[in-house]
Amino acid sequence: MSTAAIADSHAADHGHDDHDHHEAGFWRKYFFSTDHKMIGMQYGYTALFFLAFGFYLMLCMRWSIAFPGEQLPWYLRLFLVDKFVSNGVMDGGLYNMFGAMHGTIMVFLGIVPLGFAAFGNYVTPLQIGAIDMAFPRLNMASFWCFFIGGIMMLGSFFMPSGAAQVGWTNYSPLATTAQLDYPSVFWTGQTMWLLSMVFIITSSLLGAVNFIATIINLRAKGLTWMRLPFFVWAMMVTGFLLLLAFPPLEVAAIMQLMDRLAYSSFFVPQGLLIDGQPFNVSGGGSPLLYQHLFWFLAHPEVYVLLLPAIAIVAEVIPANTRKPLWGYRSMVYGVLVLGFLSFIVWAHHMYMTGMGAWVSAFFQTTTVLISVPSVILLTCLLISLWGGSIRFTVPMLWATAFLPMFGIGGLTGLPLAFNLIDLHLHDTYYVIGHFHYVVAPGVLFGLFAGIYHWFPKQTGRQMNTFLGHLHFWPSLVGMNMLFAPMMVQGIAGFHRRWYDGGLSFPLTTEKPLFEAGTFFSKIFANGEVITLRDLNILMTYGAGVLALAQIPFIINFFGSQVFGKKTHSDNPWKATTFDWATPTPPPHGNFTSEPVAYKGPYEYSVPGDSDDFSPQWEPTKKEDSKPEEEPALV
Amino acid sequence: MADSPEELQKHMKTYTIVGITLILFTFITVGVAEFAKTGSFALDVAIGLLIATFKAGLVAFIFMHLNHEKPMIYRILVFTLFFAAGGMVLFILALKDPISL
Amino acid sequence: MEIPYTVTARPDTGLWNAKVGIWLFLASEVMLFGGLFSSYIFLRLGADYPWPMHELGVLLGFINTIILIASSVFVVYAWVALKMRQWRRFQFWMALVLLCAGGFLVIKSFEYRGKFAHYHARLSDDSIVSGHLDHDLGKKAKSILFDASHVVLNASSGSHFFLKYLENRDDIRFTAGGEELDLDRAWFANVKDGLRLRTKADQLAADGKQAAADKIYQRLEEDYKVLDLFDGSGQLKVALSQPGKFVVPRSKVLDWTDDTLNFTRALSTTLEGKLESAVLKLEIDELDLREYLRRDDPRERAVADAEIFKHFDDEADGTKLLADFNHHRDPKVEAWEEAVSEWKAKNPDKVYEEKPFHDFERVYLKDLHADTHEGEVHAASGGGAHEDHPTVTIPFEEVEFFSNFGPRKNPFYAIYFTMTGLHGLHVLGGMLVLGYFMVRGRRLYLKNPEHMANRVEVGGLFWHFVDLVWIFLFPIFYLM
């Protein structure tokens, strides 16, 4: 079957869009491509790079926490560190810089591009049976905006001031007044952070418009709303979150830019002193305004991180349990409610600002409410395992591990929803632990599942299973070594911004965890007392394990593209959704014939069927039921 | 939407009338604000915003054809307006909380 | 291979792609401007200073509103023309739209210019005065003038930026240690490279790697001799061949005495020599004593004691103004003040919580123009000497804060510039897109006129949205 021939034959009636360039040159094919699959891969590779870089920043920080005042080991000093500290010992300023950039890079340049942009771009059009996104050139513009933003963010490390230093939240007035002591305020990391955020936000907005328009208008014939795979639903909700939540952050970024470059006072209160000197602006603004604008985005952003992962898991689980996704409808409605509620919970990040009782009561209520749809999603996935004939393929391993890990992350969030408890836990390692359980073992595991799951479609080769296991098991151990102790420390009152791991706060941090002579102290500390602060070392080793565990993945990921076992079918997992109906790898234009959907997305083990899966694109075999061809109304 | 020349001519007329109405209300809003203050600041603001909303409504419904748009567009806009308005209300509530320090 | 539904609508949703796209984009724009309007409300309700009302010239804003409404009408005319397949008429209406948009931006730029040329200063006792810079002095009226004989440079944080403020740069040679120095960007970069190398070498030496350190020391000796000029604390005093006439904006100066001037830490340079003058010279057009009186809780300050009256160049001007104040005092204000003091006398142990910025406090805001907005128009038209305006000369020590009527003045002006600026960018963007349709659209029109009409509809939707935003911007900034 020749894709091009079929496609060209019916292209005549509106032959205006110069979209068909089958013999695209090298640049058009790999760099300025408008093909959603290539753009997805561009996003994917860039995001993986940023994830690795953010991970490196974290390793430096963890080293400084576990071994304060000691020189970083040579492999962490290979680049970047020497620019800032000549003796190779992390100081507070550098820790702040790395911390701020770790958060920013992981969230905005790592996870979101990988989950939403890379998987979304690659998989969504395939799953809805479209030949491409609705606006291919917009798609390319979106990637390049993102890329420029990323480069600016990285470049800020090499400015005289270094990169931004005031946390990924970039709270004013600290962010407004930081790094003003440079001849040009424009060329400081703090300003670059804002500028590059403007680019990244623009990229996300363009992407979101594109995704939603594609899903609304380019679904294949017969693919009605309730026949959409859950992944597509999640992408649509994610798209809306980005579309409606990002603009307020853009506002905040623009206003902070004004504060820094035009000396306005949006976020600067009256009478601010910097180093004892009055800050020479008019004042009269409100730091709280920044927090409102920021968290109006940043809470939905958490779901932007989460939904693609949960959606990938929802694709991997049915394919590997050979039974339909349990509660598909509840999940769809759940994700819609989740998206809706996520817009009105933001101020639970701001309980410490002394908000009034009404607002606080409102946000506590909505925050508790939002756990209901989250639990619905998780429970449905859990029940989907029940009674399935599970194949523990590598993607399934990750997907299965996702469930408890994300469960821990979600459940530890519940206490933080309540004002009174949050006052105690706010800004401690408990919050870090909670958030990272959601995002690192939760979301990342989901994304890894996705990589292993769709790798055969993209390359026509399988990833190596042994290396996959070698990647998975140490990662699971390392993640828990790294994040579980944070909960313990956090409840004990460890503040999240101690660059020396609490060395200067012995009253809190040197409380014994295991008294001298007890079982664990004999094993790990020659019978001496193990304090809470000693957990830092355990966590840092956990991070090390995690780092080593990624080596098999890198080998596997690149190696399998060349040496991997070839897949013999276009549908190696015997899955049911449209992404597996295309040739492997999918050509430009994706489908060889016009795809038509005849049934729901997860028809596995249909009673009476000869196969244990029944793809969406195959007409129902029963004689009396007429295959539905007309696209049903919305 | 009907595309016949007669229909379009009729549209042209509507657009002209709406345009004139908009300009008229611009005069009114300036007149009210500059020369016919009610004495109550809140009332002045309410009147000003009411006129602005009416004008914006004319633009949205006539010029932007929201008077006969497809359900999908309405759905998108309803949620958008809800979140924009909700954000605004919550911002104000956070600032003017009846029970606060 | 074609992406479907680019021209015709998809049957079940009834929409073509770009229509979905533009409405989604507009939804995000609603959130963008929604966020800005929310911020406006937040800043206004939370303001602890008198929110500026009726400070912007209504006339220009009013004209702009009319212009935008007209352009909105023309856009739909243009779209109808395309629908009726009349290309020339489409181009005609589109040209009118662009004309309107251009006019809008020109008027806007006049408004901006007027504000950037208009200054205000808050004195140490919170009396506020506004006006234009002394016409003859221009920029010098807001700068500190300093005749420098020496410049003290800082090795680690110095830069060549301070030379920007040297008026007679071409006539001056810099010397230090008998050497002539070419103080440019490269020179400072060289110094910093040298410093970095030296730190590295010191670190190596401390780590016991003497050989490697010596190698760098060697290199320092050869290529970075300039470092030797700096003293132990990393400073270098450079002599000027003749007095350097520095004109430094107040905002770039940290502090000064009669014989030294410190630039801000960003520039980290010190001048030595003789202070010429450090005064702000304004031709004033407004006097605002509201803050002066409000900050003074028991209300014991007298208007006549306000600092500003000491700084009039012609004392008679001040006396006349003061007399004006006393003459025009509103009986309502006096009644109110009496009531307040009575209440306080009755309730000595309670705190009197007045409504902030009571409307009739405006009596303490003295506008020196017969016509409120003459100042802006005046500045916008390029300015000319204010024969009739009183002038003040205020030493910078007395000035607590001063700026032009730009974003720096207060959050009102900040959000005014941000919102109208963003709106202006939208106008500009819309102009580009619609202009492209008008000039380059013919090819597509001949090929597929319906597609062209769709494009114009999409561009038009954006344009109407921009108009719609302005419909709200106009009253909230200009009228209320």
Side-chain angles (χ1 to χ4, degrees):
Chain A
M1 277 194 263
S2 149
T3 318
I6 293 173
D8 281 347
S9 66
H10 74 100
D13 72 323
H14 28 236
H16 47 83
D17 208 300
D18 46 339
H19 176 69
D20 36 345
H21 33 78
H22 296 282
E23 289 162 53
F26 175 80
W27 285 95
R28 286 302 291 269
K29 192 166 174 203
Y30 293 105
F31 285 88
F32 301 104
S33 170
T34 52
D35 183 2
H36 72 96
K37 299 180 291 297
M38 182 48 73
I39 293 173
M41 281 191 277
Q42 286 173 332
Y43 265 120
Y45 281 107
T46 323
L48 283 173
F49 165 75
F50 278 119
L51 280 178
F53 183 67
F55 190 71
Y56 157 77
L57 297 178
M58 183 276 274
L59 284 177
C60 293
M61 289 158 67
R62 280 245 64 97
W63 181 275
S64 155
I65 291 170
F67 312 109
E70 287 180 34
Q71 208 176 39
L72 294 171
W74 63 270
Y75 46 85
L76 291 179
R77 280 191 290 134
L78 284 178
F79 58 101
L80 214 56
V81 173
D82 280 341
K83 181 182 178 298
F84 299 104
V85 283
S86 53
N87 56 359
V89 178
M90 196 91 154
D91 62 9
L94 188 62
Y95 182 89
N96 281 346
M97 187 192 299
F98 278 20
M101 295 313 273
H102 167 75
T104 309
I105 286 176
M106 285 300 200
V107 170
F108 294 110
L109 296 166
I111 307 259
V112 173
L114 186 60
F116 177 70
F119 281 112
N121 251 314
Y122 197 93
V123 178
T124 311
L126 295 180
Q127 282 200 334
I128 62 172
I131 62 167
D132 205 324
M133 298 288 264
F135 311 111
R137 269 173 294 188
L138 205 64
N139 207 6
M140 179 181 80
S142 160
F143 172 74
W144 284 104
C145 273
F146 159 75
F147 193 77
I148 292 170
I151 291 295
M152 283 164 74
M153 200 66 95
L154 274 188
S156 68
F157 274 105
F158 301 97
M159 287 169 187
S161 60
Q165 280 183 327
V166 302
W168 80 284
T169 51
N170 221 40
Y171 277 177
S172 266
L174 189 56
T176 310
T177 56
Q179 300 180 348
L180 288 183
D181 288 351
Y182 289 87
S184 165
V185 177
F186 185 84
W187 296 109
T188 54
Q190 211 60 52
T191 309
M192 276 307 121
W193 190 93
L194 295 168
L195 278 176
S196 90
M197 279 315 280
V198 171
F199 273 94
I200 293 166
I201 293 168
T202 309
S203 150
S204 288
L205 289 178
L206 296 180
V209 167
N210 213 342
F211 272 77
I212 303 170
T214 307
I215 295 171
I216 288 178
N217 241 25
L218 296 190
R219 280 167 291 126
K221 254 190 190 167
L223 198 59
T224 56
W225 287 105
M226 277 302 155
R227 284 179 178 179
L228 287 179
F230 181 72
F231 184 87
V232 178
W233 275 109
M235 282 302 139
M236 175 135 134
V237 173
T238 313
F240 269 109
L241 294 185
L242 287 175
L243 186 78
L244 302 182
F246 250 137
L249 183 69
E250 191 146 21
V251 168
I254 291 170
M255 284 160 95
Q256 212 177 64
L257 267 180
M258 290 285 284
D259 275 5
R260 282 183 71 79
L261 298 177
Y263 306 103
S264 60
S265 308
F266 283 122
F267 307 134
V268 185
Q270 212 134 37
L272 189 68
L273 298 178
I274 309 288
D275 293 344
Q277 290 270 342
F279 189 44
N280 189 18
V281 296
S282 71
S286 165
L288 267 187
L289 175 60
Y290 178 82
Q291 295 196 18
H292 278 300
L293 290 171
F294 179 83
W295 287 114
F296 189 90
L297 155 90
H299 197 81
E301 177 78 7
V302 176
Y303 294 95
V304 172
L305 302 172
L306 173 64
L307 287 181
I310 223 170
I312 289 169
V313 171
E315 295 301 305
V316 172
I317 283 184
N320 287 291
T321 53
R322 315 310 294 163
K323 66 185 275 264
L325 195 61
W326 194 90
Y328 167 78
R329 264 172 191 274
S330 339
M331 285 187 77
V332 169
Y333 291 126
V335 81
L336 290 174
V337 172
L338 185 83
F340 179 83
L341 283 177
S342 73
F343 279 101
I344 45 174
V345 297
W346 79 83
H348 66 219
H349 296 269
M350 297 165 57
Y351 287 148
M352 288 288 271
T353 58
M355 56 171 52
W358 280 40
V359 186
S360 147
F362 176 84
F363 282 106
Q364 287 185 57
T365 314
T366 50
T367 308
V368 175
L369 274 181
I370 204 171
S371 63
V372 175
S374 318
V375 169
I376 289 178
L377 294 184
L378 191 64
T379 316
C380 286
L381 290 175
L382 210 58
I383 301 178
S384 296
L385 298 176
W386 184 264
S389 54
I390 301 177
R391 305 183 306 205
F392 273 110
T393 57
V394 179
M396 186 59 183
L397 280 180
W398 291 103
T400 327
F402 168 88
L403 300 176
M405 292 294 109
F406 172 64
I408 293 172
L411 291 175
T412 49
L414 285 181
L416 296 174
F418 300 98
N419 194 330
L420 270 177
I421 308 174
D422 183 70
L423 293 186
H424 174 67
L425 293 175
H426 195 92
D427 259 350
T428 65
Y429 264 97
Y430 184 86
V431 178
I432 308 273
H434 152 66
F435 178 71
H436 281 85
Y437 254 108
V438 174
V439 174
V443 171
L444 263 185
F445 277 20
L447 298 179
F448 277 132
I451 293 176
Y452 284 95
H453 186 64
W454 277 294
F455 189 88
K457 176 50 63 185
Q458 186 224 319
T459 58
R461 292 170 189 274
Q462 290 279 9
M463 280 174 96
N464 184 294
T465 308
F466 175 72
L467 286 174
H469 278 265
L470 208 56
H471 177 203
F472 170 73
W473 293 106
S475 290
L476 186 64
V477 174
M479 286 282 188
N480 285 293
M481 259 169 88
L482 178 51
F483 296 123
M486 286 186 181
M487 309 284 185
V488 182
Q489 287 191 336
I491 291 174
F494 273 53
H495 193 271
R496 64 190 283 190
R497 298 189 202 282
W498 289 336
Y499 81 99
D500 58 3
L503 191 64
S504 8
F505 295 86
L507 277 183
T508 303
T509 62
E510 284 177 10
K511 279 185 199 147
L513 181 66
F514 298 110
E515 297 287 357
T518 52
F519 178 68
F520 283 107
S521 82
K522 275 181 194 156
I523 296 182
F524 293 112
N526 297 328
E528 283 178 41
V529 62
I530 297 180
T531 64
L532 281 166
R533 188 148 55 79
D534 291 333
L535 286 177
N536 286 338
I537 299 172
L538 175 71
M539 284 145 78
T540 300
Y541 284 144
V545 172
L546 195 56
L548 291 179
Q550 305 316 306
I551 295 172
F553 170 69
I554 295 170
I555 298 171
N556 199 355
F557 185 70
F558 290 103
S560 296
Q561 298 195 13
V562 187
F563 305 111
K565 199 173 73 187
K566 282 201 171 151
T567 53
H568 298 297
S569 130
D570 287 340
N571 189 358
W573 307 114
K574 299 196 193 308
T576 52
T577 45
F578 269 120
D579 37 340
W580 303 102
T582 63
T584 307
H588 195 49
N590 296 344
F591 293 93
T592 45
S593 56
E594 201 193 344
V596 180
Y598 296 99
K599 57 187 80 141
Y602 303 112
E603 306 257 315
Y604 288 98
S605 306
V606 181
D609 219 342
S610 53
D611 263 333
D612 69 346
F613 71 112
S614 147
Q616 280 187 291
W617 60 90
E618 282 179 7
T620 317
K621 281 161 194 153
K622 285 178 197 156
E623 286 298 308
D624 48 337
S625 70
K626 226 172 59 191
E628 192 182 350
E629 295 250 3
E630 286 300 301
L633 290 177
V634 180
Chain B
M1 197 182 310
D3 285 351
S4 67
E6 300 82 50
E7 289 272 332
L8 287 168
Q9 284 296 356
K10 231 166 73 190
H11 283 313
M12 285 280 269
K13 214 181 245 166
T14 320
Y15 297 145
T16 315
I17 293 170
V18 169
I20 292 170
T21 316
L22 285 173
I23 291 174
L24 206 68
F25 271 88
T26 311
F27 274 99
I28 290 176
T29 194
V30 173
V32 169
E34 295 282 301
F35 310 112
K37 288 203 175 96
T38 57
S40 152
F41 176 67
L43 200 58
D44 285 342
V45 170
I47 291 173
L49 287 181
L50 215 65
I51 296 174
T53 312
F54 173 69
K55 285 165 68 185
L58 280 184
V59 173
F61 280 93
I62 310 294
F63 286 169
M64 298 171 89
H65 311 306
L66 272 185
N67 51 357
H68 50 261
E69 201 38 276
K70 301 292 176 292
M72 181 58 76
I73 304 290
Y74 289 132
R75 248 173 264 168
I76 294 169
L77 288 182
V78 163
F79 279 107
T80 309
L81 289 179
F82 177 81
F83 290 132
M88 218 172 271
V89 169
L90 287 172
F91 274 36
I92 297 171
L93 188 63
L95 199 66
K96 300 276 172 197
D97 197 312
I99 312 174
S100 66
L101 292 174
Chain C
M1 185 178 44
E2 273 308 317
I3 291 167
Y5 313 123
T6 43
V7 184
T8 48
R10 179 183 164 109
D12 60 348
T13 58
L15 298 162
W16 26 280
N17 297 343
K19 186 116 168 208
V20 187
I22 189 69
W23 275 111
L24 288 169
F25 177 68
L26 291 185
S28 89
E29 292 280 63
V30 167
M31 291 308 286
L32 182 85
F33 282 100
L36 283 164
F37 279 113
S38 300
S39 307
Y40 169 88
I41 296 171
F42 197 91
L43 289 170
R44 181 163 184 170
L45 291 180
D48 53 358
Y49 57 95
W51 186 261
M53 282 159 69
H54 311 288
E55 276 196 14
L56 306 173
V58 176
L59 184 64
L60 293 182
F62 175 72
I63 295 172
N64 262 350
T65 313
I66 304 287
I67 289 180
L68 266 196
I69 289 173
S71 76
S72 243
V73 177
F74 298 150
V75 165
V76 275
Y77 284 175
W79 172 72
V80 169
L82 260 196
K83 276 282 188 190
M84 292 164 81
R85 307 287 182 257
Q86 295 165 323
W87 178 254
R88 286 282 155 213
R89 255 177 74 180
F90 159 74
Q91 278 189 316
F92 169 73
W93 290 121
M94 220 28 137
L96 277 187
V97 173
L98 294 182
L99 208 66
C100 286
F104 178 89
L105 289 180
V106 168
I107 291 179
K108 199 85 231 158
S109 70
F110 271 105
E111 277 186 89
Y112 277 14
R113 236 178 94 196
K115 291 185 181 51
F116 285 132
H118 195 197
Y119 286 81
H120 89 295
R122 191 172 78 220
L123 273 56
S124 44
D125 65 351
D126 288 317
S127 45
I128 296 171
V129 65
S130 326
H132 294 93
L133 296 181
D134 186 293
H135 193 259
D136 302 323
L137 288 174
K139 205 174 62 180
K140 282 185 183 170
K142 58 161 183 166
S143 300
I144 295 177
L145 311 185
F146 195 90
D147 286 350
S149 59
H150 290 87
V151 181
V152 182
L153 302 173
N154 194 317
S156 56
S157 54
S159 74
H160 64 289
F161 282 85
F162 76 98
L163 289 171
K164 219 163 50 179
Y165 309 111
L166 180 54
E167 295 273 279
N168 52 347
R169 185 181 175 180
D170 295 340
D171 311 332
I172 288 183
R173 282 172 292 109
F174 297 94
T175 48
E179 254 181 81
E180 186 168 339
L181 303 178
D182 188 13
L183 297 181
D184 54 4
R185 181 191 285 270
W187 189 86
F188 281 96
N190 195 39
V191 168
K192 274 176 204 161
D193 282 349
L195 266 190
R196 209 169 300 138
L197 273 177
R198 197 157 74 187
T199 325
K200 198 172 165 192
D202 291 348
Q203 181 63 39
L204 284 171
D207 288 352
K209 295 171 185 157
Q210 198 56 45
D214 283 343
K215 214 164 156 188
I216 299 180
Y217 285 133
Q218 178 82 25
R219 209 176 133 210
L220 281 167
E221 199 63 32
E222 286 162 9
D223 299 344
Y224 295 96
K225 277 199 97 60
V226 61
L227 277 187
D228 298 339
L229 294 173
F230 288 85
D231 65 9
S233 53
Q235 301 214 314
L236 170 63
K237 197 166 176 177
V238 180
L240 278 68
S241 59
Q242 54 170 292
K245 300 236 173 275
F246 279 90
V247 178
V248 193
R250 168 68 186 89
S251 57
K252 300 287 171 197
V253 178
L254 187 65
D255 51 26
W256 68 92
T257 63
D258 281 343
D259 45 14
T260 59
L261 180 146
N262 282 315
F263 282 95
T264 50
R265 279 177 303 178
L267 293 159
S268 85
T269 305
T270 302
L271 302 181
E272 290 180 5
K274 190 169 147 290
L275 182 72
E276 191 75 358
S277 81
V279 291
L280 178 67
K281 283 181 89 74
L282 288 180
E283 298 169 348
I284 66 168
D285 52 26
E286 193 182 84
L287 204 56
D288 182 355
L289 296 181
R290 289 176 296 177
E291 287 285 276
Y292 166 73
L293 292 170
R294 195 171 64 86
R295 292 289 170 95
D296 173 45
D297 182 37
R299 286 189 180 276
E300 278 160 357
R301 284 174 168 177
V303 170
D305 295 339
E307 184 73 39
I308 182 65
F309 290 112
K310 296 181 192 138
H311 300 298
F312 280 87
D313 290 340
D314 181 355
E315 243 176 79
D317 282 337
T319 325
K320 188 167 154 280
L321 260 176
L322 193 56
D324 244 24
F325 258 114
N326 290 333
H327 183 68
H328 286 300
R329 272 175 66 92
D330 196 326
K332 266 200 295 185
V333 179
E334 273 164 28
W336 169 58
E337 285 190 345
E338 240 169 66
V340 170
S341 52
E342 252 175 55
W343 187 91
K344 280 184 176 168
K346 268 191 213 156
N347 308 293
D349 49 338
K350 284 187 188 161
V351 179
Y352 175 74
E353 275 190 36
E354 65 186 78
K355 234 165 97 188
F357 325 124
H358 210 281
D359 197 35
F360 45 68
E361 276 191 46
R362 283 182 67 79
V363 80
Y364 295 115
L365 175 68
K366 193 87 207 152
D367 193 338
L368 276 65
H369 290 297
D371 167 10
T372 322
H373 305 294
E374 190 219 307
E376 278 174 23
V377 178
H378 170 83
S381 61
H386 292 253
E387 295 297 341
D388 50 337
H389 282 196
T391 54
V392 292
T393 304
I394 315 169
F396 272 123
E397 296 98 66
E398 294 291 333
V399 179
E400 193 110 308
F401 177 72
F402 104 100
S403 83
N404 58 10
F405 277 53
R408 192 171 192 164
K409 184 171 189 277
N410 56 32
F412 169 77
Y413 280 94
I415 194 139
Y416 163 77
F417 277 102
T418 309
M419 287 186 86
T420 54
L422 271 180
H423 178 266
L425 283 180
H426 279 76
V427 171
L428 203 65
M431 272 177 86
L432 289 177
V433 172
L434 296 179
Y436 179 80
F437 290 162
M438 184 184 87
V439 180
R440 303 296 300 272
R442 181 137 180 98
R443 220 185 69 177
L444 179 58
Y445 172 73
L446 292 177
K447 206 154 133 195
N448 189 338
E450 192 56 24
H451 194 195
M452 190 62 210
N454 284 353
R455 281 199 175 175
V456 172
E457 186 176 349
V458 164
L461 282 174
F462 177 74
W463 193 258
H464 296 311
F465 178 77
V466 173
D467 180 24
L468 198 151
V469 168
W470 182 260
I471 284 177
F472 282 104
L473 285 184
F474 174 59
I476 69 164
F477 283 117
Y478 291 80
L479 300 180
M480 51 181 68

